[in-house]
Amino acid sequence: MSGTHHHDVHAGSDADMALRTQALESLLVEKGLITTDVIDAVVRTYEHDVGPLNGAKVVARAWTDAAYKQRLLADGTVAVAELGFSGAQGADIVVLENTPSVHNVVVCTLCSCYPWPVLGLPPAWYKSYAYRSRLVREPRTVLREFGLDLPEYIEVRVWDSNSDIRYMVLPERPTGTEHLREDALVPLVTRDAMIGTAVVRADGVSSSPVES
Amino acid sequence: MNGIHDMGGMHGFGPVQRQANEPVFHHGWEGRVFAMRVVTPVPIPGGARNNIEVMEPLRYLRSSYYEKWLHARVKGLIDSGVLTAEELQAREALYRERPDTPVPRREDTERVQAVLANLRTHRSPRRDVNTQPKFGLGDPVRVRNLHPPGHTRLPRYVRGKPGVVVRFYGFQDVQDAQPPGVTVEPQAVYAVRFAASELWGDAAQVNSTVCIDMWESYLEPLEEQGK
């Protein structure tokens, strides 16, 4: 830590991490670099305000407003900002449209890049070594584990998110939802469908059953 | 660098484990680490990602996600002279020995609003330059066989592989580490699509492709050989 080689390979326990975090926070507050209420507010914001509901609203709008969908696919950053979503880890959002012949799915093999303004912070599995290592090599197998068995005639197109571009998938609108208005479509759109590890179903049941 | 973080295509990590009703943060300290990393106004020399990538490989593998973030933030603060390792150890010892010691609190409502507004602001990575992109959509390209020792956005599994340019994302700053004193101009960034069979040979899965963003210096024109 102080520049010497550190050969302790054991991960810290949560108690150790909590202690170190507390020590760091107290020093940064004393040094005037952060304030306690800023930390509280940022935690609250990402726990409650910035999450996949934002992306679901974008998807439902795109499904019901052809002009909006066109703008969304042309410039995702500007189109999601129309609905009030923008900011950190969303400086350049590119929306990938699923079609009857192409299914898009997003990964970050090098770390954990993810479009925060529309999806919030990524779930642990998105950051896991298993997902990061496997999706690019065996996407159909990984998707099957998520409950999504795609026929061979559909191209599986994996996007490895390695630059400042942040990718979000625009899932296909399921048949049987033609009568539903925008508001009623929002709750059908799951986080996993916008990552690409699921599709949206008309009954609102996730195709990737572990998801809440 | 050819680090442990460059995981695309590796075997051996098992099935993807998922948790129902997963909370955003699994422990209180994770949220504090996240927020401190995001709002502490001290840049991390070399970048947070680099600080994680240079972790000793076994430590990288065994550390949880936010443990890596905490490590990167602490190292950045030490490297930039904001705090010392001894200071942090002494403070840890204090809280270990006297758990009831209160964490100092400071509040500044105006700053909260400014920080939250800043987090909602986006700054486009696209730069205005007087250069034309070298490649056009549909151009066949090959990824150069580069092995830089420092931070790079070029994963091993695409190096040397042929692909096709499918999107153009304007000119963006180069994120790769440069030798001291060297600055590079923004480069064209493209999404390049690779057939799975080019990446994985016989192990490729049917009708699948991988797209990945490529700075122009990662690419060379594809010479059609033996045709």
Side-chain angles (χ1 to χ4, degrees), chain A residues 1-2 6 8-12 14 16-43 45-47 73 77 81 86-88 90-92 94-96 109-113 116 121-125 127-134 136-142 144-147 152-160 162-165 167 191-192 208-212, chain B residues 5-11 13-22 24-27 29 31-36 38-42 49 56 58-63 65-70 73-74 77-78 82-83 85-88 91-92 95-96 103-109 111-112 115-116 119-126 152-153 155 157 167 169 172 175 191 193 200 203 205-215:
Chain A
M1 192 86 77
S2 52
H6 191 59
D8 176 15
V9 296
H10 296 282
D14 279 309
D16 291 341
M17 290 303 111
L19 193 76
R20 169 157 297 182
T21 303
Q22 193 178 33
L24 180 64
E25 182 173 339
S26 76
L27 288 167
L28 293 180
V29 167
E30 277 177 15
K31 289 172 192 286
L33 288 167
I34 59 172
T35 58
T36 313
D37 52 353
V38 163
I39 301 300
D40 294 341
V42 170
V43 171
T45 297
Y46 283 92
E47 278 185 331
L73 296 176
T77 319
S86 64
D92 203 322
V94 169
V95 176
L96 308 165
T109 62
L110 295 173
C111 55
S112 55
C113 298
W116 295 359
L121 300 183
W125 62 256
K127 306 176 283 188
S128 70
Y129 306 148
Y131 186 74
R132 287 167 52 192
S133 62
R134 293 178 57 208
V136 287
R137 183 172 47 77
E138 46 177 1
R140 289 179 183 275
T141 309
V142 173
R144 268 198 299 274
E145 287 173 23
F146 276 77
E152 290 189 358
Y153 67 82
I154 297 180
E155 176 190 332
V156 177
R157 193 175 290 174
V158 178
W159 296 77
D160 187 353
N162 65 328
S163 76
D164 284 347
I165 304 295
Y167 291 107
R191 175 197 68 205
D192 286 13
S208 76
V210 172
E211 189 174 23
S212 52
Chain B
H5 67 284
D6 184 0
M7 292 184 158
M10 285 178 74
H11 289 92
F13 289 115
V16 180
Q17 307 279 354
R18 293 180 291 148
Q19 180 189 357
N21 304 309
E22 184 185 338
V24 173
F25 301 110
H26 291 74
H27 304 279
W29 66 267
R32 312 304 285 177
V33 166
F34 167 78
M36 282 193 281
V38 169
V39 307
T40 304
V42 179
R49 286 174 58 153
E56 198 273 324
L58 288 181
R59 186 171 179 208
Y60 178 101
L61 288 173
R62 292 188 187 192
S63 298
Y65 183 74
Y66 284 108
E67 192 172 346
K68 295 188 188 82
W69 276 44
L70 178 59
R73 183 69 270 182
V74 167
L77 290 164
I78 292 172
V82 168
L83 59 81
E86 294 71 28
E87 226 178 335
L88 185 63
R91 190 58 58 96
E92 284 182 47
Y95 285 122
R96 190 178 299 114
V103 177
R105 286 192 67 85
R106 212 183 264 204
E107 309 209 335
D108 182 343
T109 315
R111 194 156 153 185
V112 171
V115 164
L116 292 182
L119 274 175
R120 283 193 293 268
T121 306
H122 62 264
R123 295 165 201 80
S124 174
R126 305 193 193 204
T152 181
R153 300 298 176 88
Y157 76 91
R167 285 171 185 245
Y169 294 136
Q172 304 187 19
Q175 308 285 340
R193 186 160 71 224
W200 317 112
Q205 297 199 320
V206 65
N207 198 12
S208 58
T209 55
V210 175
C211 296
I212 183 165
D213 302 339
M214 294 276 113
W215 275 262

